[in-house]
């Protein structure tokens, strides 16, 4: 894993997601860190996916302003799982990259809506609608991130394909 | 000398004598410069002018070169002065804004002498799509702020409530966050109600008024103030204004939408009430 490249990617996405976009108050912020975890895990496998997921999770917890380490744990686990799927089932192409992102974004949305759903009894269909809207927005942002993440993971990706 | 008196020398001598005689005759005629000098002047005049122009250009160039360093230095000095003046203007503007906020707070604090305030700035908003929380730059290390303290503007409008306190920052739930709830009073309706954040209204920047006895007496534009019940928020803080009365999504009963009095979009500087009700 190229620590510098991955570190820069994490830092840039954290600044965008956690520090810049929330000030615009547009109603929805794309979960760029989540997209990055899915992408890196998808291209680089479970080991790197888990490590990258852990750091992205810490930043995700910071960006949503929660001291709990929920996303640190969840993104580590998801990084490992998606990485393992990338090593075994997935073809490591654009479609499977988008599918990995979709799965991660839905799980993230469910975690975030958990308290609203079970403790504040917000309308379920409304929550699902919002979750899908945020997921679609993040997936749209996942498209331009695809070549960047693929390029960062390029060598390892090729090596893994050869093996 | 012998050579000079040859044919060629004699011709030159004769020509010189003729020119001298002509010049002498011309001078007698009142032309003081002399015809030869005049003719020479006329011939050389364009050349003189050209040389003079070149000299002028050279002089200017020399002047530029000579003054360049001095002008450069002067320019740098002026630039520094302008930058200093701009910086001073910005600082003055900042101080003016701070002064206005503190004046507003002073006016508010005059009526609430028992309140203890701590000023803070909002440093970030949560990127979560499911809540409306923000982080302020004060924590347990540099203030007396505790979880549950109310966050207001300089004019006493409720902005939110402190949720968690770290050493150098605090996470606060804004007034429109789904977890926010406060006991309120309406200016023309008796009895208390509850103003609370609602996920569906959060996107619109509103909160809801619920648990009120009779919504028939509630009118658009009514002022919603904190009641002081519950001990979290002191009494008399401005929450917002009634905007609309709508049926509940379940179909049973109605609720009112409240527009927050505080401008959350442009809220950067806030005040935290760390203590109240301890007036001696």
């Amino acid at each position: 894993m190229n620590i510098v490249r991955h570190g820069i990617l994490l830092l840039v996405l954290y600044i965008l997601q956690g520090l810049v976009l929330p000030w615009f108050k547009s109603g929805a912020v794309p979960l760029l860190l989540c997209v990055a975890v899915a992408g890196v895990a998808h291209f680089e496998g479970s080991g790197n996916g888990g490590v990258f997921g852990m750091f992205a999770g810490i930043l995700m917890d910071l960006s949503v302003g929660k001291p709990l380490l929920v996303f640190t744990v969840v993104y580590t686990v998801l990084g490992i799982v998606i990485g393992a799927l990338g090593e075994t089932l997935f073809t490591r192409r654009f479609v499977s990259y988008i599918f990995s992102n979709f799965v991660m974004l839905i799980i993230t949305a469910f975690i975030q809506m958990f308290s609203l759903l079970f403790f504040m009894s917000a309308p379920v269909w409304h929550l699902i609608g919002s979750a899908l809207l945020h997921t679609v927005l993040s997936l749209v942002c996942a498209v331009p991130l695809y070549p960047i993440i693929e390029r960062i993971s390029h060598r390892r990706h090729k090596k893994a394909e050869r093996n | 000398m012998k050579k000079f008196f040859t044919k060629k020398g004699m011709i030159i001598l004769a020509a010189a004598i003729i020119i001298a005689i002509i010049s002498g005759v011309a001078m007698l005629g009142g032309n003081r410069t002399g015809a030869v000098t005049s003719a020479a002047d006329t011939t050389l005049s364009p050349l003189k002018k050209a040389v003079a122009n070149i000299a002028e250009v050279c002089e200017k160039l020399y002047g530029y070169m000579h003054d360049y360093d001095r002008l450069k230095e002067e320019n740098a000095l002026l630039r520094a002065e302008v930058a200093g003046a701009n910086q001073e203007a910005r600082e003055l503007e900042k101080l003016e804004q701070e002064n206005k906020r503190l004046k507003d707070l002073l006016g508010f604090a005059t009526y609430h002498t028992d309140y203890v305030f701590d000023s803070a700035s909002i440093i970030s908003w949560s990127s979560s799509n499911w809540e409306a929380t923000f982080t302020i730059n004060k924590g347990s290390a540099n203030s007396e702020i505790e979880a549950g303290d109310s966050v207001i503007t300089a004019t006493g409008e409720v902005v939110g409530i402190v949720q968690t306190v770290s050493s150098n920052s605090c996470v606060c739930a804004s007034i429109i966050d789904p977890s926010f709830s406060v006991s309120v009073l309406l200016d023309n309706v008796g009895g208390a109600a509850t103003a609370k954040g609602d996920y569906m209204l959060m996107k619109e920047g509103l909160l809801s008024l619920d648990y009120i006895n009779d919504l028939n007496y509630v009118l658009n534009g009514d002022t919603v103030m904190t009641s002081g019940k519950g001990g979290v928020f002191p009494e008399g803080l401005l929450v917002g204004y009634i905007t609309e009365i709508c049926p509940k999504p379940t179909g049973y009963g109605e609720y009112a939408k409240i527009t927050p009095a505080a401008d959350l979009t442009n809220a950067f500087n806030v005040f935290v009430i760390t203590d109240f009700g301890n007036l001696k």
Side-chain angles (χ1 to χ4, degrees), chain A residues 2-22 32-34 36-37 40 52 54-60 62-63 145 148-149 152:
Chain A
N2 189 322
I3 295 169
V4 177
R5 283 183 193 177
H6 287 74
I8 290 169
L9 177 72
L10 268 180
L11 196 67
V12 169
L13 295 183
Y14 168 69
I15 289 169
L16 274 175
Q17 183 191 310
L19 304 178
V20 179
L21 295 175
L32 303 174
L33 287 168
C34 181
V37 174
V40 170
F52 190 83
M54 186 184 73
F55 286 108
I58 293 169
L59 294 178
M60 182 74 181
L62 283 174
S63 77
L145 281 175
I148 299 168
I149 296 170
I152 286 173

mmCIF file of all heavy atoms in Angstrom, chain A residues 2-22 32-34 36-37 40 52 54-60 62-63 145 148-149 152:
data_model
loop_
_atom_site.group_PDB
_atom_site.id
_atom_site.type_symbol
_atom_site.label_atom_id
_atom_site.label_comp_id
_atom_site.label_asym_id
_atom_site.label_seq_id
_atom_site.Cartn_x
_atom_site.Cartn_y
_atom_site.Cartn_z
ATOM 1 N N ASN A 2 0.626 2.115 -0.945
ATOM 2 C CA ASN A 2 1.374 3.367 -0.968
ATOM 3 C C ASN A 2 0.763 4.319 0.058
ATOM 4 O O ASN A 2 -0.297 4.914 -0.166
ATOM 5 C CB ASN A 2 1.314 3.968 -2.381
ATOM 6 C CG ASN A 2 2.246 5.142 -2.517
ATOM 7 O OD1 ASN A 2 2.392 5.933 -1.585
ATOM 8 N ND2 ASN A 2 2.869 5.242 -3.661
ATOM 9 N N ILE A 3 1.471 4.428 1.182
ATOM 10 C CA ILE A 3 0.910 5.172 2.316
ATOM 11 C C ILE A 3 0.668 6.648 1.965
ATOM 12 O O ILE A 3 -0.369 7.203 2.318
ATOM 13 C CB ILE A 3 1.845 5.042 3.538
ATOM 14 C CG1 ILE A 3 1.867 3.577 3.993
ATOM 15 C CG2 ILE A 3 1.358 5.917 4.697
ATOM 16 C CD1 ILE A 3 2.915 3.246 5.009
ATOM 17 N N VAL A 4 1.608 7.233 1.256
ATOM 18 C CA VAL A 4 1.492 8.674 0.949
ATOM 19 C C VAL A 4 0.272 8.943 0.072
ATOM 20 O O VAL A 4 -0.555 9.810 0.373
ATOM 21 C CB VAL A 4 2.782 9.193 0.257
ATOM 22 C CG1 VAL A 4 2.644 10.651 -0.117
ATOM 23 C CG2 VAL A 4 3.970 9.004 1.184
ATOM 24 N N ARG A 5 0.132 8.178 -1.009
ATOM 25 C CA ARG A 5 -0.993 8.375 -1.931
ATOM 26 C C ARG A 5 -2.326 8.154 -1.221
ATOM 27 O O ARG A 5 -3.268 8.936 -1.376
ATOM 28 C CB ARG A 5 -0.894 7.414 -3.114
ATOM 29 C CG ARG A 5 0.110 7.822 -4.139
ATOM 30 C CD ARG A 5 0.057 6.837 -5.277
ATOM 31 N NE ARG A 5 1.196 6.989 -6.164
ATOM 32 C CZ ARG A 5 1.427 6.217 -7.197
ATOM 33 N NH1 ARG A 5 0.614 5.232 -7.476
ATOM 34 N NH2 ARG A 5 2.469 6.404 -7.966
ATOM 35 N N HIS A 6 -2.390 7.059 -0.472
ATOM 36 C CA HIS A 6 -3.644 6.749 0.225
ATOM 37 C C HIS A 6 -3.935 7.797 1.294
ATOM 38 O O HIS A 6 -5.094 8.159 1.511
ATOM 39 C CB HIS A 6 -3.575 5.350 0.841
ATOM 40 C CG HIS A 6 -3.667 4.254 -0.173
ATOM 41 N ND1 HIS A 6 -2.620 3.946 -1.022
ATOM 42 C CD2 HIS A 6 -4.671 3.423 -0.510
ATOM 43 C CE1 HIS A 6 -2.986 2.954 -1.812
ATOM 44 N NE2 HIS A 6 -4.234 2.619 -1.524
ATOM 45 N N GLY A 7 -2.868 8.260 1.948
ATOM 46 C CA GLY A 7 -3.028 9.297 2.982
ATOM 47 C C GLY A 7 -3.555 10.590 2.386
ATOM 48 O O GLY A 7 -4.467 11.216 2.932
ATOM 49 N N ILE A 8 -2.982 10.959 1.237
ATOM 50 C CA ILE A 8 -3.435 12.196 0.560
ATOM 51 C C ILE A 8 -4.899 12.054 0.132
ATOM 52 O O ILE A 8 -5.705 12.966 0.317
ATOM 53 C CB ILE A 8 -2.523 12.529 -0.646
ATOM 54 C CG1 ILE A 8 -1.145 12.972 -0.137
ATOM 55 C CG2 ILE A 8 -3.132 13.622 -1.517
ATOM 56 C CD1 ILE A 8 -0.079 13.074 -1.198
ATOM 57 N N LEU A 9 -5.225 10.876 -0.421
ATOM 58 C CA LEU A 9 -6.618 10.627 -0.843
ATOM 59 C C LEU A 9 -7.574 10.786 0.340
ATOM 60 O O LEU A 9 -8.602 11.478 0.250
ATOM 61 C CB LEU A 9 -6.736 9.218 -1.432
ATOM 62 C CG LEU A 9 -8.143 8.785 -1.860
ATOM 63 C CD1 LEU A 9 -8.580 9.517 -3.116
ATOM 64 C CD2 LEU A 9 -8.215 7.282 -2.111
ATOM 65 N N LEU A 10 -7.212 10.163 1.468
ATOM 66 C CA LEU A 10 -8.051 10.246 2.678
ATOM 67 C C LEU A 10 -8.207 11.692 3.140
ATOM 68 O O LEU A 10 -9.316 12.144 3.444
ATOM 69 C CB LEU A 10 -7.404 9.445 3.810
ATOM 70 C CG LEU A 10 -7.806 7.988 3.967
ATOM 71 C CD1 LEU A 10 -7.077 7.370 5.134
ATOM 72 C CD2 LEU A 10 -9.300 7.843 4.178
ATOM 73 N N LEU A 11 -7.087 12.384 3.171
ATOM 74 C CA LEU A 11 -7.088 13.761 3.681
ATOM 75 C C LEU A 11 -7.941 14.681 2.801
ATOM 76 O O LEU A 11 -8.770 15.451 3.316
ATOM 77 C CB LEU A 11 -5.648 14.286 3.734
ATOM 78 C CG LEU A 11 -5.424 15.533 4.580
ATOM 79 C CD1 LEU A 11 -5.656 15.235 6.042
ATOM 80 C CD2 LEU A 11 -4.020 16.070 4.374
ATOM 81 N N VAL A 12 -7.767 14.553 1.496
ATOM 82 C CA VAL A 12 -8.526 15.411 0.565
ATOM 83 C C VAL A 12 -10.030 15.132 0.693
ATOM 84 O O VAL A 12 -10.849 16.057 0.781
ATOM 85 C CB VAL A 12 -8.038 15.196 -0.893
ATOM 86 C CG1 VAL A 12 -8.970 15.864 -1.885
ATOM 87 C CG2 VAL A 12 -6.633 15.735 -1.063
ATOM 88 N N LEU A 13 -10.377 13.842 0.734
ATOM 89 C CA LEU A 13 -11.799 13.495 0.808
ATOM 90 C C LEU A 13 -12.396 13.917 2.160
ATOM 91 O O LEU A 13 -13.542 14.367 2.224
ATOM 92 C CB LEU A 13 -11.998 11.992 0.588
ATOM 93 C CG LEU A 13 -11.620 11.484 -0.804
ATOM 94 C CD1 LEU A 13 -11.917 10.008 -0.927
ATOM 95 C CD2 LEU A 13 -12.373 12.240 -1.887
ATOM 96 N N TYR A 14 -11.594 13.798 3.225
ATOM 97 C CA TYR A 14 -12.083 14.225 4.543
ATOM 98 C C TYR A 14 -12.328 15.737 4.563
ATOM 99 O O TYR A 14 -13.348 16.207 5.068
ATOM 100 C CB TYR A 14 -11.078 13.838 5.637
ATOM 101 C CG TYR A 14 -11.383 14.510 6.961
ATOM 102 C CD1 TYR A 14 -12.509 14.152 7.687
ATOM 103 C CD2 TYR A 14 -10.570 15.524 7.458
ATOM 104 C CE1 TYR A 14 -12.810 14.783 8.882
ATOM 105 C CE2 TYR A 14 -10.862 16.156 8.648
ATOM 106 C CZ TYR A 14 -11.987 15.778 9.360
ATOM 107 O OH TYR A 14 -12.298 16.417 10.537
ATOM 108 N N ILE A 15 -11.387 16.478 3.983
ATOM 109 C CA ILE A 15 -11.548 17.948 3.946
ATOM 110 C C ILE A 15 -12.810 18.313 3.167
ATOM 111 O O ILE A 15 -13.602 19.146 3.600
ATOM 112 C CB ILE A 15 -10.287 18.617 3.345
ATOM 113 C CG1 ILE A 15 -9.126 18.510 4.347
ATOM 114 C CG2 ILE A 15 -10.536 20.088 3.011
ATOM 115 C CD1 ILE A 15 -7.770 18.879 3.789
ATOM 116 N N LEU A 16 -13.002 17.639 2.035
ATOM 117 C CA LEU A 16 -14.185 17.935 1.215
ATOM 118 C C LEU A 16 -15.476 17.546 1.948
ATOM 119 O O LEU A 16 -16.399 18.345 2.055
ATOM 120 C CB LEU A 16 -14.108 17.156 -0.107
ATOM 121 C CG LEU A 16 -13.341 17.809 -1.244
ATOM 122 C CD1 LEU A 16 -13.257 16.847 -2.411
ATOM 123 C CD2 LEU A 16 -14.032 19.088 -1.700
ATOM 124 N N GLN A 17 -15.512 16.321 2.441
ATOM 125 C CA GLN A 17 -16.745 15.814 3.061
ATOM 126 C C GLN A 17 -17.023 16.430 4.426
ATOM 127 O O GLN A 17 -18.157 16.783 4.737
ATOM 128 C CB GLN A 17 -16.666 14.289 3.205
ATOM 129 C CG GLN A 17 -17.946 13.687 3.775
ATOM 130 C CD GLN A 17 -17.776 12.242 4.167
ATOM 131 O OE1 GLN A 17 -17.283 11.438 3.389
ATOM 132 N NE2 GLN A 17 -18.196 11.895 5.375
ATOM 133 N N GLY A 18 -15.976 16.541 5.225
ATOM 134 C CA GLY A 18 -16.192 16.958 6.615
ATOM 135 C C GLY A 18 -16.079 18.444 6.875
ATOM 136 O O GLY A 18 -16.688 18.950 7.824
ATOM 137 N N LEU A 19 -15.300 19.143 6.056
ATOM 138 C CA LEU A 19 -15.050 20.551 6.367
ATOM 139 C C LEU A 19 -15.595 21.538 5.338
ATOM 140 O O LEU A 19 -15.925 22.662 5.682
ATOM 141 C CB LEU A 19 -13.536 20.783 6.538
ATOM 142 C CG LEU A 19 -12.843 19.908 7.587
ATOM 143 C CD1 LEU A 19 -11.361 20.191 7.612
ATOM 144 C CD2 LEU A 19 -13.435 20.127 8.960
ATOM 145 N N VAL A 20 -15.683 21.121 4.084
ATOM 146 C CA VAL A 20 -16.114 22.081 3.053
ATOM 147 C C VAL A 20 -17.604 21.953 2.725
ATOM 148 O O VAL A 20 -18.363 22.911 2.858
ATOM 149 C CB VAL A 20 -15.263 21.900 1.759
ATOM 150 C CG1 VAL A 20 -15.714 22.859 0.674
ATOM 151 C CG2 VAL A 20 -13.793 22.122 2.067
ATOM 152 N N LEU A 21 -18.016 20.748 2.312
ATOM 153 C CA LEU A 21 -19.396 20.567 1.837
ATOM 154 C C LEU A 21 -20.484 20.858 2.891
ATOM 155 O O LEU A 21 -21.519 21.417 2.533
ATOM 156 C CB LEU A 21 -19.572 19.156 1.259
ATOM 157 C CG LEU A 21 -18.739 18.873 0.004
ATOM 158 C CD1 LEU A 21 -18.872 17.422 -0.421
ATOM 159 C CD2 LEU A 21 -19.168 19.778 -1.140
ATOM 160 N N PRO A 22 -20.288 20.523 4.180
ATOM 161 C CA PRO A 22 -21.369 20.818 5.153
ATOM 162 C C PRO A 22 -21.727 22.296 5.268
ATOM 163 O O PRO A 22 -22.850 22.625 5.621
ATOM 164 C CB PRO A 22 -20.799 20.297 6.480
ATOM 165 C CG PRO A 22 -19.823 19.265 6.100
ATOM 166 C CD PRO A 22 -19.220 19.741 4.827
ATOM 167 N N LEU A 32 -18.020 10.719 0.657
ATOM 168 C CA LEU A 32 -16.837 10.448 -0.171
ATOM 169 C C LEU A 32 -15.901 9.434 0.481
ATOM 170 O O LEU A 32 -15.274 8.624 -0.203
ATOM 171 C CB LEU A 32 -16.092 11.758 -0.450
ATOM 172 C CG LEU A 32 -16.919 12.860 -1.124
ATOM 173 C CD1 LEU A 32 -16.117 14.148 -1.220
ATOM 174 C CD2 LEU A 32 -17.352 12.440 -2.514
ATOM 175 N N LEU A 33 -15.804 9.477 1.820
ATOM 176 C CA LEU A 33 -14.912 8.532 2.519
ATOM 177 C C LEU A 33 -15.412 7.104 2.353
ATOM 178 O O LEU A 33 -14.627 6.168 2.183
ATOM 179 C CB LEU A 33 -14.833 8.899 4.003
ATOM 180 C CG LEU A 33 -14.028 10.163 4.324
ATOM 181 C CD1 LEU A 33 -14.258 10.601 5.753
ATOM 182 C CD2 LEU A 33 -12.547 9.936 4.095
ATOM 183 N N CYS A 34 -16.729 6.961 2.398
ATOM 184 C CA CYS A 34 -17.341 5.643 2.220
ATOM 185 C C CYS A 34 -17.025 5.107 0.819
ATOM 186 O O CYS A 34 -16.648 3.945 0.650
ATOM 187 C CB CYS A 34 -18.848 5.799 2.422
ATOM 188 S SG CYS A 34 -19.757 4.291 2.263
ATOM 189 N N ALA A 36 -14.497 5.916 -1.017
ATOM 190 C CA ALA A 36 -13.066 5.603 -1.087
ATOM 191 C C ALA A 36 -12.768 4.238 -0.465
ATOM 192 O O ALA A 36 -11.966 3.465 -1.015
ATOM 193 C CB ALA A 36 -12.263 6.693 -0.386
ATOM 194 N N VAL A 37 -13.405 3.941 0.679
ATOM 195 C CA VAL A 37 -13.173 2.635 1.335
ATOM 196 C C VAL A 37 -13.609 1.506 0.396
ATOM 197 O O VAL A 37 -12.866 0.539 0.184
ATOM 198 C CB VAL A 37 -13.941 2.549 2.683
ATOM 199 C CG1 VAL A 37 -13.825 1.149 3.270
ATOM 200 C CG2 VAL A 37 -13.412 3.560 3.665
ATOM 201 N N VAL A 40 -11.055 1.317 -2.607
ATOM 202 C CA VAL A 40 -9.726 0.778 -2.264
ATOM 203 C C VAL A 40 -9.829 -0.708 -1.910
ATOM 204 O O VAL A 40 -9.014 -1.528 -2.370
ATOM 205 C CB VAL A 40 -9.085 1.597 -1.106
ATOM 206 C CG1 VAL A 40 -7.838 0.902 -0.573
ATOM 207 C CG2 VAL A 40 -8.735 3.000 -1.580
ATOM 208 N N PHE A 52 -7.307 0.641 5.332
ATOM 209 C CA PHE A 52 -7.818 1.906 4.799
ATOM 210 C C PHE A 52 -9.178 2.218 5.423
ATOM 211 O O PHE A 52 -9.462 3.369 5.770
ATOM 212 C CB PHE A 52 -7.943 1.798 3.271
ATOM 213 C CG PHE A 52 -8.239 3.103 2.591
ATOM 214 C CD1 PHE A 52 -7.215 3.988 2.290
ATOM 215 C CD2 PHE A 52 -9.540 3.462 2.263
ATOM 216 C CE1 PHE A 52 -7.490 5.195 1.672
ATOM 217 C CE2 PHE A 52 -9.813 4.673 1.643
ATOM 218 C CZ PHE A 52 -8.783 5.530 1.351
ATOM 219 N N MET A 54 -10.244 1.383 8.339
ATOM 220 C CA MET A 54 -10.098 1.816 9.733
ATOM 221 C C MET A 54 -9.797 3.323 9.803
ATOM 222 O O MET A 54 -10.445 4.062 10.538
ATOM 223 C CB MET A 54 -8.975 1.040 10.409
ATOM 224 C CG MET A 54 -8.859 1.318 11.888
ATOM 225 S SD MET A 54 -7.470 0.469 12.604
ATOM 226 C CE MET A 54 -6.103 1.417 11.977
ATOM 227 N N PHE A 55 -8.839 3.778 8.979
ATOM 228 C CA PHE A 55 -8.485 5.204 9.004
ATOM 229 C C PHE A 55 -9.636 6.068 8.461
ATOM 230 O O PHE A 55 -9.930 7.135 8.993
ATOM 231 C CB PHE A 55 -7.196 5.455 8.205
ATOM 232 C CG PHE A 55 -5.974 4.988 8.935
ATOM 233 C CD1 PHE A 55 -5.271 3.865 8.529
ATOM 234 C CD2 PHE A 55 -5.532 5.657 10.066
ATOM 235 C CE1 PHE A 55 -4.155 3.412 9.222
ATOM 236 C CE2 PHE A 55 -4.416 5.224 10.764
ATOM 237 C CZ PHE A 55 -3.728 4.100 10.340
ATOM 238 N N ALA A 56 -10.280 5.562 7.409
ATOM 239 C CA ALA A 56 -11.417 6.312 6.847
ATOM 240 C C ALA A 56 -12.551 6.372 7.874
ATOM 241 O O ALA A 56 -13.240 7.387 7.989
ATOM 242 C CB ALA A 56 -11.897 5.644 5.565
ATOM 243 N N GLY A 57 -12.711 5.289 8.630
ATOM 244 C CA GLY A 57 -13.755 5.247 9.669
ATOM 245 C C GLY A 57 -13.505 6.270 10.762
ATOM 246 O O GLY A 57 -14.437 6.928 11.239
ATOM 247 N N ILE A 58 -12.235 6.404 11.157
ATOM 248 C CA ILE A 58 -11.902 7.414 12.187
ATOM 249 C C ILE A 58 -12.271 8.806 11.675
ATOM 250 O O ILE A 58 -12.902 9.601 12.383
ATOM 251 C CB ILE A 58 -10.386 7.342 12.531
ATOM 252 C CG1 ILE A 58 -10.067 6.021 13.237
ATOM 253 C CG2 ILE A 58 -9.975 8.527 13.412
ATOM 254 C CD1 ILE A 58 -8.585 5.722 13.387
ATOM 255 N N LEU A 59 -11.907 9.078 10.412
ATOM 256 C CA LEU A 59 -12.216 10.392 9.830
ATOM 257 C C LEU A 59 -13.721 10.578 9.656
ATOM 258 O O LEU A 59 -14.244 11.678 9.826
ATOM 259 C CB LEU A 59 -11.497 10.564 8.494
ATOM 260 C CG LEU A 59 -9.970 10.621 8.567
ATOM 261 C CD1 LEU A 59 -9.376 10.732 7.176
ATOM 262 C CD2 LEU A 59 -9.519 11.814 9.406
ATOM 263 N N MET A 60 -14.412 9.498 9.323
ATOM 264 C CA MET A 60 -15.876 9.559 9.163
ATOM 265 C C MET A 60 -16.522 9.909 10.506
ATOM 266 O O MET A 60 -17.425 10.741 10.573
ATOM 267 C CB MET A 60 -16.377 8.203 8.651
ATOM 268 C CG MET A 60 -17.860 8.144 8.405
ATOM 269 S SD MET A 60 -18.326 9.040 6.924
ATOM 270 C CE MET A 60 -20.093 8.793 6.964
ATOM 271 N N LEU A 62 -15.139 11.529 12.873
ATOM 272 C CA LEU A 62 -14.831 12.947 13.125
ATOM 273 C C LEU A 62 -15.742 13.861 12.309
ATOM 274 O O LEU A 62 -16.216 14.872 12.811
ATOM 275 C CB LEU A 62 -13.372 13.251 12.753
ATOM 276 C CG LEU A 62 -12.297 12.803 13.731
ATOM 277 C CD1 LEU A 62 -10.927 13.054 13.123
ATOM 278 C CD2 LEU A 62 -12.422 13.578 15.039
ATOM 279 N N SER A 63 -15.975 13.490 11.061
ATOM 280 C CA SER A 63 -16.741 14.379 10.176
ATOM 281 C C SER A 63 -18.214 14.432 10.541
ATOM 282 O O SER A 63 -18.871 15.427 10.265
ATOM 283 C CB SER A 63 -16.566 13.988 8.709
ATOM 284 O OG SER A 63 -17.342 12.875 8.400
ATOM 285 N N LEU A 145 -14.573 9.503 -9.023
ATOM 286 C CA LEU A 145 -13.520 8.984 -8.133
ATOM 287 C C LEU A 145 -12.954 7.647 -8.635
ATOM 288 O O LEU A 145 -11.878 7.234 -8.218
ATOM 289 C CB LEU A 145 -14.056 8.812 -6.705
ATOM 290 C CG LEU A 145 -14.152 10.074 -5.842
ATOM 291 C CD1 LEU A 145 -14.804 9.750 -4.515
ATOM 292 C CD2 LEU A 145 -12.768 10.670 -5.599
ATOM 293 N N ILE A 148 -9.511 7.765 -10.261
ATOM 294 C CA ILE A 148 -8.498 8.187 -9.272
ATOM 295 C C ILE A 148 -8.125 7.012 -8.372
ATOM 296 O O ILE A 148 -6.953 6.692 -8.180
ATOM 297 C CB ILE A 148 -9.033 9.380 -8.435
ATOM 298 C CG1 ILE A 148 -9.329 10.574 -9.347
ATOM 299 C CG2 ILE A 148 -8.046 9.770 -7.343
ATOM 300 C CD1 ILE A 148 -10.124 11.683 -8.701
ATOM 301 N N ILE A 149 -9.164 6.351 -7.827
ATOM 302 C CA ILE A 149 -8.907 5.221 -6.922
ATOM 303 C C ILE A 149 -8.253 4.068 -7.687
ATOM 304 O O ILE A 149 -7.330 3.428 -7.189
ATOM 305 C CB ILE A 149 -10.224 4.768 -6.234
ATOM 306 C CG1 ILE A 149 -10.750 5.897 -5.340
ATOM 307 C CG2 ILE A 149 -10.004 3.504 -5.403
ATOM 308 C CD1 ILE A 149 -12.130 5.674 -4.796
ATOM 309 N N ILE A 152 -4.617 4.921 -8.158
ATOM 310 C CA ILE A 152 -3.870 4.792 -6.905
ATOM 311 C C ILE A 152 -3.621 3.311 -6.599
ATOM 312 O O ILE A 152 -2.558 2.922 -6.127
ATOM 313 C CB ILE A 152 -4.633 5.489 -5.747
ATOM 314 C CG1 ILE A 152 -4.508 7.010 -5.903
ATOM 315 C CG2 ILE A 152 -4.121 5.045 -4.380
ATOM 316 C CD1 ILE A 152 -5.337 7.809 -4.935
#
